[in-house]
Amino acid sequence: QVQLVESGGGLVQPGGSLRLSCAGTGSIFTFYDMGWYRQAPGKQRELVAAIPNDGITNYADSVKGRFTISRDNAKNTVYLQMNSLKPEDTAVYYCNFVFTQGVRVYNYWGQGTQVTVSS
């Protein structure tokens, strides 16, 4: 059974940093595309950063230059380093692993971790 377990959320002051981790168990995720999404109260879930299996990253404009996504395939883990945090970064952050094989799509989500940026 596949599970994604997130860690690293919390309360931080504006300008501070946090590092989120998401570890997958129950499968081998080397060829999966990985990403981080977030959902603020009253808003739709949005893509924050993605790192496909080819390693080419992309970011939402709102986090470019502040957030860095990375992955460690040996550990089945994706990370999100968040620097220069702003109050508008407050949200529940979710990791996502996706793999498409023909017509089959394997799509997994973490349980979510709260990030609150406030003084």
Side-chain angles (χ1 to χ4, degrees):
Q1 183 177 355
V2 172
Q3 273 192 311
L4 304 186
V5 179
E6 302 178 24
S7 60
L11 172 64
V12 64
Q13 292 187 341
S17 298
L18 283 174
R19 188 192 194 207
L20 305 183
S21 300
C22 174
T25 61
S27 185
I28 297 173
F29 301 100
T30 304
F31 300 105
Y32 278 65
D33 297 335
M34 298 178 177
W36 288 94
Y37 290 73
R38 68 185 180 188
Q39 188 166 18
K43 294 188 176 181
Q44 289 191 333
R45 189 173 298 189
E46 63 174 357
L47 176 67
V48 175
I51 183 165
N53 68 76
D54 62 7
I56 299 176
T57 58
N58 68 87
Y59 299 91
D61 288 343
S62 59
V63 307
K64 281 182 181 176
R66 300 188 297 121
F67 290 11
T68 303
I69 189 171
S70 60
R71 60 191 288 167
D72 185 337
N73 289 332
K75 296 181 178 180
N76 289 333
T77 300
V78 64
Y79 304 96
L80 186 67
Q81 177 66 45
M82 305 185 293
N83 299 328
S84 302
L85 282 160
K86 304 175 180 180
E88 51 264 43
D89 294 318
T90 296
V92 178
Y93 284 70
Y94 299 89
C95 61
N96 176 245
F97 289 11
V98 179
F99 176 63
T100 300
Q101 187 176 37
V103 297
R104 299 190 68 176
V105 179
Y106 302 86
N107 188 12
Y108 304 107
W109 291 91
Q111 81 280 10
T113 185
Q114 177 70 47
V115 171
T116 302
V117 184
S118 175
S119 54

mmCIF file with all atom_site columns, all heavy atoms in Angstrom, residues 49-76:
data_model
loop_
_atom_site.group_PDB
_atom_site.id
_atom_site.type_symbol
_atom_site.label_atom_id
_atom_site.label_alt_id
_atom_site.label_comp_id
_atom_site.label_asym_id
_atom_site.label_entity_id
_atom_site.label_seq_id
_atom_site.pdbx_PDB_ins_code
_atom_site.Cartn_x
_atom_site.Cartn_y
_atom_site.Cartn_z
_atom_site.occupancy
_atom_site.B_iso_or_equiv
_atom_site.pdbx_formal_charge
_atom_site.auth_seq_id
_atom_site.auth_comp_id
_atom_site.auth_asym_id
_atom_site.auth_atom_id
_atom_site.pdbx_PDB_model_num
ATOM 1   N N   . ALA A 1 49 ? 5.377  23.871 -6.801  1.00 0.00 ? 49 ALA A N   1
ATOM 2   C CA  . ALA A 1 49 ? 6.620  23.499 -7.461  1.00 0.00 ? 49 ALA A CA  1
ATOM 3   C C   . ALA A 1 49 ? 6.524  22.052 -7.911  1.00 0.00 ? 49 ALA A C   1
ATOM 4   O O   . ALA A 1 49 ? 5.831  21.252 -7.276  1.00 0.00 ? 49 ALA A O   1
ATOM 5   C CB  . ALA A 1 49 ? 7.810  23.676 -6.525  1.00 0.00 ? 49 ALA A CB  1
ATOM 6   N N   . ALA A 1 50 ? 7.229  21.738 -8.985  1.00 0.00 ? 50 ALA A N   1
ATOM 7   C CA  . ALA A 1 50 ? 7.209  20.378 -9.511  1.00 0.00 ? 50 ALA A CA  1
ATOM 8   C C   . ALA A 1 50 ? 8.604  19.965 -9.940  1.00 0.00 ? 50 ALA A C   1
ATOM 9   O O   . ALA A 1 50 ? 9.417  20.804 -10.382 1.00 0.00 ? 50 ALA A O   1
ATOM 10  C CB  . ALA A 1 50 ? 6.243  20.267 -10.685 1.00 0.00 ? 50 ALA A CB  1
ATOM 11  N N   . ILE A 1 51 ? 8.870  18.665 -9.810  1.00 0.00 ? 51 ILE A N   1
ATOM 12  C CA  . ILE A 1 51 ? 10.151 18.110 -10.260 1.00 0.00 ? 51 ILE A CA  1
ATOM 13  C C   . ILE A 1 51 ? 9.851  16.752 -10.873 1.00 0.00 ? 51 ILE A C   1
ATOM 14  O O   . ILE A 1 51 ? 9.748  15.739 -10.189 1.00 0.00 ? 51 ILE A O   1
ATOM 15  C CB  . ILE A 1 51 ? 11.186 18.048 -9.118  1.00 0.00 ? 51 ILE A CB  1
ATOM 16  C CG1 . ILE A 1 51 ? 12.527 17.538 -9.633  1.00 0.00 ? 51 ILE A CG1 1
ATOM 17  C CG2 . ILE A 1 51 ? 10.673 17.231 -7.928  1.00 0.00 ? 51 ILE A CG2 1
ATOM 18  C CD1 . ILE A 1 51 ? 13.687 17.785 -8.652  1.00 0.00 ? 51 ILE A CD1 1
ATOM 19  N N   . PRO A 1 52 ? 9.697  16.723 -12.191 1.00 0.00 ? 52 PRO A N   1
ATOM 20  C CA  . PRO A 1 52 ? 9.444  15.451 -12.867 1.00 0.00 ? 52 PRO A CA  1
ATOM 21  C C   . PRO A 1 52 ? 10.626 14.506 -12.747 1.00 0.00 ? 52 PRO A C   1
ATOM 22  O O   . PRO A 1 52 ? 11.681 14.883 -12.219 1.00 0.00 ? 52 PRO A O   1
ATOM 23  C CB  . PRO A 1 52 ? 9.226  15.877 -14.323 1.00 0.00 ? 52 PRO A CB  1
ATOM 24  C CG  . PRO A 1 52 ? 8.952  17.326 -14.270 1.00 0.00 ? 52 PRO A CG  1
ATOM 25  C CD  . PRO A 1 52 ? 9.697  17.851 -13.092 1.00 0.00 ? 52 PRO A CD  1
ATOM 26  N N   . ASN A 1 53 ? 10.485 13.303 -13.264 1.00 0.00 ? 53 ASN A N   1
ATOM 27  C CA  . ASN A 1 53 ? 11.559 12.322 -13.108 1.00 0.00 ? 53 ASN A CA  1
ATOM 28  C C   . ASN A 1 53 ? 12.802 12.723 -13.881 1.00 0.00 ? 53 ASN A C   1
ATOM 29  O O   . ASN A 1 53 ? 13.883 12.216 -13.600 1.00 0.00 ? 53 ASN A O   1
ATOM 30  C CB  . ASN A 1 53 ? 11.086 10.929 -13.509 1.00 0.00 ? 53 ASN A CB  1
ATOM 31  C CG  . ASN A 1 53 ? 10.802 10.808 -14.992 1.00 0.00 ? 53 ASN A CG  1
ATOM 32  O OD1 . ASN A 1 53 ? 11.713 10.718 -15.804 1.00 0.00 ? 53 ASN A OD1 1
ATOM 33  N ND2 . ASN A 1 53 ? 9.532  10.807 -15.342 1.00 0.00 ? 53 ASN A ND2 1
ATOM 34  N N   . ASP A 1 54 ? 12.682 13.667 -14.839 1.00 0.00 ? 54 ASP A N   1
ATOM 35  C CA  . ASP A 1 54 ? 13.876 14.143 -15.549 1.00 0.00 ? 54 ASP A CA  1
ATOM 36  C C   . ASP A 1 54 ? 14.618 15.211 -14.758 1.00 0.00 ? 54 ASP A C   1
ATOM 37  O O   . ASP A 1 54 ? 15.675 15.689 -15.188 1.00 0.00 ? 54 ASP A O   1
ATOM 38  C CB  . ASP A 1 54 ? 13.526 14.670 -16.935 1.00 0.00 ? 54 ASP A CB  1
ATOM 39  C CG  . ASP A 1 54 ? 12.580 15.866 -16.919 1.00 0.00 ? 54 ASP A CG  1
ATOM 40  O OD1 . ASP A 1 54 ? 12.287 16.375 -15.824 1.00 0.00 ? 54 ASP A OD1 1
ATOM 41  O OD2 . ASP A 1 54 ? 12.126 16.275 -17.998 1.00 0.00 ? 54 ASP A OD2 1
ATOM 42  N N   . GLY A 1 55 ? 14.060 15.619 -13.618 1.00 0.00 ? 55 GLY A N   1
ATOM 43  C CA  . GLY A 1 55 ? 14.750 16.553 -12.743 1.00 0.00 ? 55 GLY A CA  1
ATOM 44  C C   . GLY A 1 55 ? 14.612 18.025 -13.096 1.00 0.00 ? 55 GLY A C   1
ATOM 45  O O   . GLY A 1 55 ? 15.179 18.880 -12.402 1.00 0.00 ? 55 GLY A O   1
ATOM 46  N N   . ILE A 1 56 ? 13.870 18.336 -14.155 1.00 0.00 ? 56 ILE A N   1
ATOM 47  C CA  . ILE A 1 56 ? 13.723 19.738 -14.562 1.00 0.00 ? 56 ILE A CA  1
ATOM 48  C C   . ILE A 1 56 ? 12.606 20.358 -13.726 1.00 0.00 ? 56 ILE A C   1
ATOM 49  O O   . ILE A 1 56 ? 11.451 19.974 -13.827 1.00 0.00 ? 56 ILE A O   1
ATOM 50  C CB  . ILE A 1 56 ? 13.403 19.848 -16.059 1.00 0.00 ? 56 ILE A CB  1
ATOM 51  C CG1 . ILE A 1 56 ? 14.548 19.253 -16.885 1.00 0.00 ? 56 ILE A CG1 1
ATOM 52  C CG2 . ILE A 1 56 ? 13.188 21.314 -16.443 1.00 0.00 ? 56 ILE A CG2 1
ATOM 53  C CD1 . ILE A 1 56 ? 14.288 19.220 -18.372 1.00 0.00 ? 56 ILE A CD1 1
ATOM 54  N N   . THR A 1 57 ? 12.973 21.358 -12.943 1.00 0.00 ? 57 THR A N   1
ATOM 55  C CA  . THR A 1 57 ? 12.023 21.935 -11.999 1.00 0.00 ? 57 THR A CA  1
ATOM 56  C C   . THR A 1 57 ? 11.217 23.069 -12.614 1.00 0.00 ? 57 THR A C   1
ATOM 57  O O   . THR A 1 57 ? 11.645 23.712 -13.577 1.00 0.00 ? 57 THR A O   1
ATOM 58  C CB  . THR A 1 57 ? 12.755 22.470 -10.767 1.00 0.00 ? 57 THR A CB  1
ATOM 59  O OG1 . THR A 1 57 ? 13.712 23.448 -11.191 1.00 0.00 ? 57 THR A OG1 1
ATOM 60  C CG2 . THR A 1 57 ? 13.484 21.355 -10.036 1.00 0.00 ? 57 THR A CG2 1
ATOM 61  N N   . ASN A 1 58 ? 10.031 23.290 -12.058 1.00 0.00 ? 58 ASN A N   1
ATOM 62  C CA  . ASN A 1 58 ? 9.286  24.496 -12.394 1.00 0.00 ? 58 ASN A CA  1
ATOM 63  C C   . ASN A 1 58 ? 8.529  24.963 -11.165 1.00 0.00 ? 58 ASN A C   1
ATOM 64  O O   . ASN A 1 58 ? 8.220  24.159 -10.282 1.00 0.00 ? 58 ASN A O   1
ATOM 65  C CB  . ASN A 1 58 ? 8.357  24.285 -13.598 1.00 0.00 ? 58 ASN A CB  1
ATOM 66  C CG  . ASN A 1 58 ? 7.215  23.342 -13.304 1.00 0.00 ? 58 ASN A CG  1
ATOM 67  O OD1 . ASN A 1 58 ? 6.189  23.763 -12.823 1.00 0.00 ? 58 ASN A OD1 1
ATOM 68  N ND2 . ASN A 1 58 ? 7.396  22.078 -13.587 1.00 0.00 ? 58 ASN A ND2 1
ATOM 69  N N   . TYR A 1 59 ? 8.266  26.270 -11.122 1.00 0.00 ? 59 TYR A N   1
ATOM 70  C CA  . TYR A 1 59 ? 7.715  26.904 -9.937  1.00 0.00 ? 59 TYR A CA  1
ATOM 71  C C   . TYR A 1 59 ? 6.583  27.858 -10.279 1.00 0.00 ? 59 TYR A C   1
ATOM 72  O O   . TYR A 1 59 ? 6.563  28.443 -11.371 1.00 0.00 ? 59 TYR A O   1
ATOM 73  C CB  . TYR A 1 59 ? 8.813  27.711 -9.217  1.00 0.00 ? 59 TYR A CB  1
ATOM 74  C CG  . TYR A 1 59 ? 9.976  26.895 -8.729  1.00 0.00 ? 59 TYR A CG  1
ATOM 75  C CD1 . TYR A 1 59 ? 11.096 26.694 -9.524  1.00 0.00 ? 59 TYR A CD1 1
ATOM 76  C CD2 . TYR A 1 59 ? 9.954  26.331 -7.459  1.00 0.00 ? 59 TYR A CD2 1
ATOM 77  C CE1 . TYR A 1 59 ? 12.155 25.930 -9.083  1.00 0.00 ? 59 TYR A CE1 1
ATOM 78  C CE2 . TYR A 1 59 ? 11.017 25.570 -7.003  1.00 0.00 ? 59 TYR A CE2 1
ATOM 79  C CZ  . TYR A 1 59 ? 12.112 25.371 -7.825  1.00 0.00 ? 59 TYR A CZ  1
ATOM 80  O OH  . TYR A 1 59 ? 13.172 24.612 -7.375  1.00 0.00 ? 59 TYR A OH  1
ATOM 81  N N   . ALA A 1 60 ? 5.686  28.019 -9.334  1.00 0.00 ? 60 ALA A N   1
ATOM 82  C CA  . ALA A 1 60 ? 4.690  29.086 -9.453  1.00 0.00 ? 60 ALA A CA  1
ATOM 83  C C   . ALA A 1 60 ? 5.420  30.427 -9.387  1.00 0.00 ? 60 ALA A C   1
ATOM 84  O O   . ALA A 1 60 ? 6.427  30.556 -8.683  1.00 0.00 ? 60 ALA A O   1
ATOM 85  C CB  . ALA A 1 60 ? 3.679  28.987 -8.323  1.00 0.00 ? 60 ALA A CB  1
ATOM 86  N N   . ASP A 1 61 ? 4.918  31.399 -10.124 1.00 0.00 ? 61 ASP A N   1
ATOM 87  C CA  . ASP A 1 61 ? 5.579  32.706 -10.151 1.00 0.00 ? 61 ASP A CA  1
ATOM 88  C C   . ASP A 1 61 ? 5.702  33.296 -8.751  1.00 0.00 ? 61 ASP A C   1
ATOM 89  O O   . ASP A 1 61 ? 6.683  33.984 -8.445  1.00 0.00 ? 61 ASP A O   1
ATOM 90  C CB  . ASP A 1 61 ? 4.795  33.671 -11.045 1.00 0.00 ? 61 ASP A CB  1
ATOM 91  C CG  . ASP A 1 61 ? 4.941  33.344 -12.519 1.00 0.00 ? 61 ASP A CG  1
ATOM 92  O OD1 . ASP A 1 61 ? 5.878  32.601 -12.873 1.00 0.00 ? 61 ASP A OD1 1
ATOM 93  O OD2 . ASP A 1 61 ? 4.114  33.820 -13.308 1.00 0.00 ? 61 ASP A OD2 1
ATOM 94  N N   . SER A 1 62 ? 4.732  33.022 -7.901  1.00 0.00 ? 62 SER A N   1
ATOM 95  C CA  . SER A 1 62 ? 4.710  33.626 -6.572  1.00 0.00 ? 62 SER A CA  1
ATOM 96  C C   . SER A 1 62 ? 5.824  33.124 -5.655  1.00 0.00 ? 62 SER A C   1
ATOM 97  O O   . SER A 1 62 ? 6.114  33.758 -4.633  1.00 0.00 ? 62 SER A O   1
ATOM 98  C CB  . SER A 1 62 ? 3.358  33.373 -5.899  1.00 0.00 ? 62 SER A CB  1
ATOM 99  O OG  . SER A 1 62 ? 3.116  31.982 -5.798  1.00 0.00 ? 62 SER A OG  1
ATOM 100 N N   . VAL A 1 63 ? 6.459  32.007 -6.001  1.00 0.00 ? 63 VAL A N   1
ATOM 101 C CA  . VAL A 1 63 ? 7.500  31.446 -5.127  1.00 0.00 ? 63 VAL A CA  1
ATOM 102 C C   . VAL A 1 63 ? 8.866  31.391 -5.791  1.00 0.00 ? 63 VAL A C   1
ATOM 103 O O   . VAL A 1 63 ? 9.839  30.990 -5.152  1.00 0.00 ? 63 VAL A O   1
ATOM 104 C CB  . VAL A 1 63 ? 7.121  30.040 -4.622  1.00 0.00 ? 63 VAL A CB  1
ATOM 105 C CG1 . VAL A 1 63 ? 5.735  30.050 -3.966  1.00 0.00 ? 63 VAL A CG1 1
ATOM 106 C CG2 . VAL A 1 63 ? 7.183  29.008 -5.744  1.00 0.00 ? 63 VAL A CG2 1
ATOM 107 N N   . LYS A 1 64 ? 8.951  31.789 -7.046  1.00 0.00 ? 64 LYS A N   1
ATOM 108 C CA  . LYS A 1 64 ? 10.237 31.744 -7.756  1.00 0.00 ? 64 LYS A CA  1
ATOM 109 C C   . LYS A 1 64 ? 11.279 32.574 -7.030  1.00 0.00 ? 64 LYS A C   1
ATOM 110 O O   . LYS A 1 64 ? 11.003 33.703 -6.611  1.00 0.00 ? 64 LYS A O   1
ATOM 111 C CB  . LYS A 1 64 ? 10.063 32.254 -9.188  1.00 0.00 ? 64 LYS A CB  1
ATOM 112 C CG  . LYS A 1 64 ? 9.473  31.247 -10.141 1.00 0.00 ? 64 LYS A CG  1
ATOM 113 C CD  . LYS A 1 64 ? 9.377  31.807 -11.548 1.00 0.00 ? 64 LYS A CD  1
ATOM 114 C CE  . LYS A 1 64 ? 8.751  30.796 -12.487 1.00 0.00 ? 64 LYS A CE  1
ATOM 115 N NZ  . LYS A 1 64 ? 8.558  31.346 -13.852 1.00 0.00 ? 64 LYS A NZ  1
ATOM 116 N N   . GLY A 1 65 ? 12.471 31.994 -6.874  1.00 0.00 ? 65 GLY A N   1
ATOM 117 C CA  . GLY A 1 65 ? 13.549 32.687 -6.195  1.00 0.00 ? 65 GLY A CA  1
ATOM 118 C C   . GLY A 1 65 ? 13.523 32.531 -4.688  1.00 0.00 ? 65 GLY A C   1
ATOM 119 O O   . GLY A 1 65 ? 14.492 32.906 -4.011  1.00 0.00 ? 65 GLY A O   1
ATOM 120 N N   . ARG A 1 66 ? 12.433 31.989 -4.147  1.00 0.00 ? 66 ARG A N   1
ATOM 121 C CA  . ARG A 1 66 ? 12.326 31.807 -2.686  1.00 0.00 ? 66 ARG A CA  1
ATOM 122 C C   . ARG A 1 66 ? 12.248 30.335 -2.296  1.00 0.00 ? 66 ARG A C   1
ATOM 123 O O   . ARG A 1 66 ? 12.750 29.944 -1.241  1.00 0.00 ? 66 ARG A O   1
ATOM 124 C CB  . ARG A 1 66 ? 11.086 32.526 -2.156  1.00 0.00 ? 66 ARG A CB  1
ATOM 125 C CG  . ARG A 1 66 ? 11.073 34.022 -2.416  1.00 0.00 ? 66 ARG A CG  1
ATOM 126 C CD  . ARG A 1 66 ? 9.915  34.714 -1.698  1.00 0.00 ? 66 ARG A CD  1
ATOM 127 N NE  . ARG A 1 66 ? 8.618  34.255 -2.156  1.00 0.00 ? 66 ARG A NE  1
ATOM 128 C CZ  . ARG A 1 66 ? 7.699  33.706 -1.376  1.00 0.00 ? 66 ARG A CZ  1
ATOM 129 N NH1 . ARG A 1 66 ? 7.932  33.556 -0.078  1.00 0.00 ? 66 ARG A NH1 1
ATOM 130 N NH2 . ARG A 1 66 ? 6.524  33.331 -1.871  1.00 0.00 ? 66 ARG A NH2 1
ATOM 131 N N   . PHE A 1 67 ? 11.591 29.532 -3.116  1.00 0.00 ? 67 PHE A N   1
ATOM 132 C CA  . PHE A 1 67 ? 11.405 28.106 -2.819  1.00 0.00 ? 67 PHE A CA  1
ATOM 133 C C   . PHE A 1 67 ? 12.278 27.263 -3.741  1.00 0.00 ? 67 PHE A C   1
ATOM 134 O O   . PHE A 1 67 ? 12.494 27.627 -4.906  1.00 0.00 ? 67 PHE A O   1
ATOM 135 C CB  . PHE A 1 67 ? 9.957  27.697 -3.032  1.00 0.00 ? 67 PHE A CB  1
ATOM 136 C CG  . PHE A 1 67 ? 8.971  28.258 -2.029  1.00 0.00 ? 67 PHE A CG  1
ATOM 137 C CD1 . PHE A 1 67 ? 9.331  29.262 -1.136  1.00 0.00 ? 67 PHE A CD1 1
ATOM 138 C CD2 . PHE A 1 67 ? 7.677  27.767 -1.984  1.00 0.00 ? 67 PHE A CD2 1
ATOM 139 C CE1 . PHE A 1 67 ? 8.425  29.771 -0.225  1.00 0.00 ? 67 PHE A CE1 1
ATOM 140 C CE2 . PHE A 1 67 ? 6.753  28.262 -1.077  1.00 0.00 ? 67 PHE A CE2 1
ATOM 141 C CZ  . PHE A 1 67 ? 7.125  29.269 -0.206  1.00 0.00 ? 67 PHE A CZ  1
ATOM 142 N N   . THR A 1 68 ? 12.724 26.123 -3.228  1.00 0.00 ? 68 THR A N   1
ATOM 143 C CA  . THR A 1 68 ? 13.502 25.180 -4.021  1.00 0.00 ? 68 THR A CA  1
ATOM 144 C C   . THR A 1 68 ? 12.984 23.775 -3.788  1.00 0.00 ? 68 THR A C   1
ATOM 145 O O   . THR A 1 68 ? 12.912 23.322 -2.638  1.00 0.00 ? 68 THR A O   1
ATOM 146 C CB  . THR A 1 68 ? 14.988 25.241 -3.660  1.00 0.00 ? 68 THR A CB  1
ATOM 147 O OG1 . THR A 1 68 ? 15.484 26.572 -3.845  1.00 0.00 ? 68 THR A OG1 1
ATOM 148 C CG2 . THR A 1 68 ? 15.787 24.274 -4.531  1.00 0.00 ? 68 THR A CG2 1
ATOM 149 N N   . ILE A 1 69 ? 12.636 23.105 -4.875  1.00 0.00 ? 69 ILE A N   1
ATOM 150 C CA  . ILE A 1 69 ? 12.190 21.716 -4.787  1.00 0.00 ? 69 ILE A CA  1
ATOM 151 C C   . ILE A 1 69 ? 13.348 20.810 -5.187  1.00 0.00 ? 69 ILE A C   1
ATOM 152 O O   . ILE A 1 69 ? 14.121 21.128 -6.099  1.00 0.00 ? 69 ILE A O   1
ATOM 153 C CB  . ILE A 1 69 ? 10.951 21.464 -5.676  1.00 0.00 ? 69 ILE A CB  1
ATOM 154 C CG1 . ILE A 1 69 ? 10.369 20.080 -5.416  1.00 0.00 ? 69 ILE A CG1 1
ATOM 155 C CG2 . ILE A 1 69 ? 11.278 21.659 -7.158  1.00 0.00 ? 69 ILE A CG2 1
ATOM 156 C CD1 . ILE A 1 69 ? 9.020  19.854 -6.098  1.00 0.00 ? 69 ILE A CD1 1
ATOM 157 N N   . SER A 1 70 ? 13.455 19.682 -4.502  1.00 0.00 ? 70 SER A N   1
ATOM 158 C CA  . SER A 1 70 ? 14.492 18.706 -4.830  1.00 0.00 ? 70 SER A CA  1
ATOM 159 C C   . SER A 1 70 ? 13.966 17.317 -4.490  1.00 0.00 ? 70 SER A C   1
ATOM 160 O O   . SER A 1 70 ? 12.945 17.178 -3.798  1.00 0.00 ? 70 SER A O   1
ATOM 161 C CB  . SER A 1 70 ? 15.786 18.997 -4.060  1.00 0.00 ? 70 SER A CB  1
ATOM 162 O OG  . SER A 1 70 ? 15.572 18.938 -2.665  1.00 0.00 ? 70 SER A OG  1
ATOM 163 N N   . ARG A 1 71 ? 14.664 16.311 -4.978  1.00 0.00 ? 71 ARG A N   1
ATOM 164 C CA  . ARG A 1 71 ? 14.236 14.941 -4.720  1.00 0.00 ? 71 ARG A CA  1
ATOM 165 C C   . ARG A 1 71 ? 15.447 14.054 -4.503  1.00 0.00 ? 71 ARG A C   1
ATOM 166 O O   . ARG A 1 71 ? 16.519 14.294 -5.058  1.00 0.00 ? 71 ARG A O   1
ATOM 167 C CB  . ARG A 1 71 ? 13.374 14.402 -5.868  1.00 0.00 ? 71 ARG A CB  1
ATOM 168 C CG  . ARG A 1 71 ? 14.059 14.362 -7.213  1.00 0.00 ? 71 ARG A CG  1
ATOM 169 C CD  . ARG A 1 71 ? 13.075 14.070 -8.342  1.00 0.00 ? 71 ARG A CD  1
ATOM 170 N NE  . ARG A 1 71 ? 12.624 12.683 -8.340  1.00 0.00 ? 71 ARG A NE  1
ATOM 171 C CZ  . ARG A 1 71 ? 11.589 12.237 -9.054  1.00 0.00 ? 71 ARG A CZ  1
ATOM 172 N NH1 . ARG A 1 71 ? 10.894 13.082 -9.797  1.00 0.00 ? 71 ARG A NH1 1
ATOM 173 N NH2 . ARG A 1 71 ? 11.253 10.966 -9.022  1.00 0.00 ? 71 ARG A NH2 1
ATOM 174 N N   . ASP A 1 72 ? 15.239 13.017 -3.719  1.00 0.00 ? 72 ASP A N   1
ATOM 175 C CA  . ASP A 1 72 ? 16.250 11.995 -3.466  1.00 0.00 ? 72 ASP A CA  1
ATOM 176 C C   . ASP A 1 72 ? 15.594 10.661 -3.796  1.00 0.00 ? 72 ASP A C   1
ATOM 177 O O   . ASP A 1 72 ? 14.829 10.123 -2.992  1.00 0.00 ? 72 ASP A O   1
ATOM 178 C CB  . ASP A 1 72 ? 16.721 12.047 -2.013  1.00 0.00 ? 72 ASP A CB  1
ATOM 179 C CG  . ASP A 1 72 ? 17.858 11.090 -1.729  1.00 0.00 ? 72 ASP A CG  1
ATOM 180 O OD1 . ASP A 1 72 ? 18.015 10.102 -2.481  1.00 0.00 ? 72 ASP A OD1 1
ATOM 181 O OD2 . ASP A 1 72 ? 18.587 11.312 -0.751  1.00 0.00 ? 72 ASP A OD2 1
ATOM 182 N N   . ASN A 1 73 ? 15.877 10.151 -4.983  1.00 0.00 ? 73 ASN A N   1
ATOM 183 C CA  . ASN A 1 73 ? 15.209 8.915  -5.412  1.00 0.00 ? 73 ASN A CA  1
ATOM 184 C C   . ASN A 1 73 ? 15.593 7.722  -4.545  1.00 0.00 ? 73 ASN A C   1
ATOM 185 O O   . ASN A 1 73 ? 14.784 6.808  -4.351  1.00 0.00 ? 73 ASN A O   1
ATOM 186 C CB  . ASN A 1 73 ? 15.536 8.623  -6.871  1.00 0.00 ? 73 ASN A CB  1
ATOM 187 C CG  . ASN A 1 73 ? 14.862 9.597  -7.821  1.00 0.00 ? 73 ASN A CG  1
ATOM 188 O OD1 . ASN A 1 73 ? 13.797 10.139 -7.523  1.00 0.00 ? 73 ASN A OD1 1
ATOM 189 N ND2 . ASN A 1 73 ? 15.482 9.840  -8.960  1.00 0.00 ? 73 ASN A ND2 1
ATOM 190 N N   . ALA A 1 74 ? 16.797 7.723  -4.024  1.00 0.00 ? 74 ALA A N   1
ATOM 191 C CA  . ALA A 1 74 ? 17.229 6.606  -3.172  1.00 0.00 ? 74 ALA A CA  1
ATOM 192 C C   . ALA A 1 74 ? 16.395 6.545  -1.893  1.00 0.00 ? 74 ALA A C   1
ATOM 193 O O   . ALA A 1 74 ? 16.235 5.472  -1.301  1.00 0.00 ? 74 ALA A O   1
ATOM 194 C CB  . ALA A 1 74 ? 18.704 6.751  -2.827  1.00 0.00 ? 74 ALA A CB  1
ATOM 195 N N   . LYS A 1 75 ? 15.877 7.696  -1.480  1.00 0.00 ? 75 LYS A N   1
ATOM 196 C CA  . LYS A 1 75 ? 15.065 7.753  -0.255  1.00 0.00 ? 75 LYS A CA  1
ATOM 197 C C   . LYS A 1 75 ? 13.577 7.895  -0.554  1.00 0.00 ? 75 LYS A C   1
ATOM 198 O O   . LYS A 1 75 ? 12.773 8.055  0.366   1.00 0.00 ? 75 LYS A O   1
ATOM 199 C CB  . LYS A 1 75 ? 15.520 8.917  0.623   1.00 0.00 ? 75 LYS A CB  1
ATOM 200 C CG  . LYS A 1 75 ? 16.942 8.775  1.147   1.00 0.00 ? 75 LYS A CG  1
ATOM 201 C CD  . LYS A 1 75 ? 17.314 9.958  2.036   1.00 0.00 ? 75 LYS A CD  1
ATOM 202 C CE  . LYS A 1 75 ? 18.714 9.800  2.587   1.00 0.00 ? 75 LYS A CE  1
ATOM 203 N NZ  . LYS A 1 75 ? 19.104 10.932 3.459   1.00 0.00 ? 75 LYS A NZ  1
ATOM 204 N N   . ASN A 1 76 ? 13.209 7.876  -1.847  1.00 0.00 ? 76 ASN A N   1
ATOM 205 C CA  . ASN A 1 76 ? 11.794 8.062  -2.226  1.00 0.00 ? 76 ASN A CA  1
ATOM 206 C C   . ASN A 1 76 ? 11.214 9.327  -1.600  1.00 0.00 ? 76 ASN A C   1
ATOM 207 O O   . ASN A 1 76 ? 10.059 9.323  -1.129  1.00 0.00 ? 76 ASN A O   1
ATOM 208 C CB  . ASN A 1 76 ? 10.954 6.847  -1.797  1.00 0.00 ? 76 ASN A CB  1
ATOM 209 C CG  . ASN A 1 76 ? 11.247 5.612  -2.622  1.00 0.00 ? 76 ASN A CG  1
ATOM 210 O OD1 . ASN A 1 76 ? 11.653 5.715  -3.780  1.00 0.00 ? 76 ASN A OD1 1
ATOM 211 N ND2 . ASN A 1 76 ? 11.067 4.458  -2.027  1.00 0.00 ? 76 ASN A ND2 1
#
